[in-house]
Amino acid sequence: MTDETTTDAPQVAFKDLNLSPKVLKAVEATGYTTPTPIQAGAIGPALEGRDVLGIAQTGTGKTAAFTLPMITMLSKGRARARMPRSLVLAPTRELAAQVAENFDQYAEGSKLTKALLIGGVSFKEQDQLIDRGVDVLIATPGRLLDHFERGKLLLTGVQVMVVDEADRMLDMGFIPDIERIFELTPFTRQTLFFSATMAPEIERITNKFLSNPVKIEVARQNTTSETITQVLVQHSARRRDVAFKDKRAILRSLIDRDGEDCRNGIIFCNRKVDVDVVAKSLKGHGYNASPIHGDLDQSVRMRTLDGFRDGSVRFLVASDVAARGLDIPNVSHVFNFDVPSHAEDYVHRIGRTGRAGKTGVAYTIAVPADDKYVDAIEALIGQPIPRGENPWDGAKGKPEAAPEPSDDAAPEEGKRSRSRTRSRRKKDDDAPKADVDAPAEAQDAPVEAKAEEPQREEPREERSRRSRGGRGRSGGGGGDRVMGLGDHVPDFIGMSFDERREAS
Ligand code: AMP
């Protein structure tokens, strides 16, 4: 593979990039004045028909880096029924929907047709769109293959294929799907491939499927932005089994202490069951908070995100999978309710704030068992996370000023009586067990154990893939893939089935 590496992109203007006049007009309408480095580096070669390997994260403008040349290239020619002319693969529904929105914005006036194939939406409507013929198909890998296997889609007309957030695909176990999709498209296609990191597995598939790509690497954001004030709030619970409750009190104290400066925030939990509990607890205390994770209905997730974007939801309580890569401008605060067990997730999480030159605050609540994760994060970002004061009274061993309302804050009567009974039984943990799908022992488990033992479920997805003729490589079941991954154990190993299938 011959690479050309561009680290310092030349200063060019959009008009110098050979984009079509319609696309230039759409760009102008967005108000962007200068291409970002990934755009400056990728658009020209993409328009020349070259394969592109972009090493860039969300927030670098990479969506426009592939959408703008695609729209320009596709303006000539027409789509045939069931044979899309281009394909964009994204790891999650939200990211796919975000790409689709970008297309709509930039393709205005270009008369291109597009279809968004994501899970949680009926096949029928998607089938109808494909039947009519689409220029651009934007999809999550699982749903795309479902359509293919139902015989509704041919990928032999794909001229341009984009793989977005490939490292996330790897974490979610989608690489075999991606390989299969590559193999279903013509080898003459042009490939635009984006990944924040070049893990060995990513390197392998780029070597296999990209042809003499132009490689553009933009400065990694591992170095956390200087516009973000990072604070680590440490807490030693007086008893391990109350750590979860204490952390909820600390979270509220941090929010209260920052007052109006805390305009809005994303609160990250490591497990989706805790996302629900924390959101519910915050609501019970009168905070405007909504959960977002893979078990929620797609329409609910979209509504919640829209609410967060338009300010009607102040706090988004989120899992990494649900929030990864989302472009949500103007977030003042990020709270790591749990220290992420993958150091890179820390960078992604706190990168939700302090965007586009704005300032932001990122709090991380840590208990002693998180020490090894904090060490890993500090090693990755190359600096210590400044320690800050724990603002919660109870942290100093004083009794809590006011008792935390338990499920009593929830409106339904049934929950009240349940909660009261439980609070008599186990005073220190008011987590609404009856409303979440975690086993009781997971709720009561000390927080230390939670971080180390993500929920595991039987990988049903693998079974269903095999039974459907398999999306993996020949004969490769899930077990084979895991063994073959060497040191890289992707996140999906620890994810539940639903989290892994969140994308499709
Ligand atoms: P992305 O990395 O594609 O998620 O884009 C991150 C954000 O940058 C989005 O809000 C885009 O609207 C914005 N953006 C993309 N290109 C430009 C540009 N050339 N100038 C300013 N903002 C941009």
Side-chain angles (χ1 to χ4, degrees), residues 115-270:
L116 175 64
L117 305 190
I118 53 175
V121 183
S122 91
F123 278 95
K124 201 172 154 208
E125 258 174 57
Q126 298 179 349
D127 282 343
Q128 283 168 353
L129 285 172
I130 298 170
D131 276 348
R132 267 184 248 144
V134 288
D135 297 298
V136 185
L137 197 58
I138 302 162
T140 51
R143 186 46 86 103
L144 181 86
L145 285 171
D146 284 340
H147 276 279
F148 180 80
E149 283 163 12
R150 291 164 76 247
K152 298 287 183 187
L153 183 62
L154 282 169
L155 295 176
T156 44
V158 171
Q159 297 155 24
V160 187
M161 171 163 157
V162 178
V163 179
D164 196 13
E165 307 249 341
D167 51 330
R168 196 65 191 154
M169 306 262 197
L170 173 66
D171 284 346
M172 296 175 77
F174 289 151
I175 293 298
D177 287 357
I178 300 297
E179 288 198 58
R180 176 140 189 253
I181 296 167
F182 264 125
E183 277 158 5
L184 294 171
T185 59
F187 76 95
T188 50
R189 62 153 203 274
Q190 179 184 9
T191 309
L192 312 176
F193 191 102
F194 295 85
S195 183
T197 58
M198 284 302 283
E201 186 66 354
I202 304 274
E203 181 110 39
R204 183 184 69 73
I205 60 164
T206 56
N207 286 339
K208 186 169 171 189
F209 294 108
L210 271 62
S211 163
N212 189 25
V214 175
K215 185 172 168 189
I216 301 120
E217 187 161 3
V218 300
R220 273 190 60 75
Q221 291 171 350
N222 256 359
T223 45
T224 47
S225 163
E226 281 169 15
T227 54
I228 306 170
T229 305
Q230 302 175 60
V231 183
L232 187 80
V233 177
Q234 292 169 300
H235 177 65
S236 289
R238 60 191 187 286
R239 285 210 327 268
R240 279 158 61 115
D241 61 339
V242 296
F244 185 43
K245 183 178 181 186
D246 286 359
K247 292 208 296 181
R248 298 200 293 273
I250 293 167
L251 173 65
R252 296 192 301 275
S253 302
L254 289 168
I255 294 171
D256 295 346
R257 188 179 64 184
D258 284 8
E260 282 181 12
D261 290 342
C262 181
R263 196 178 51 253
N264 60 359
I266 306 181
I267 298 158
F268 285 96
C269 299
N270 288 356

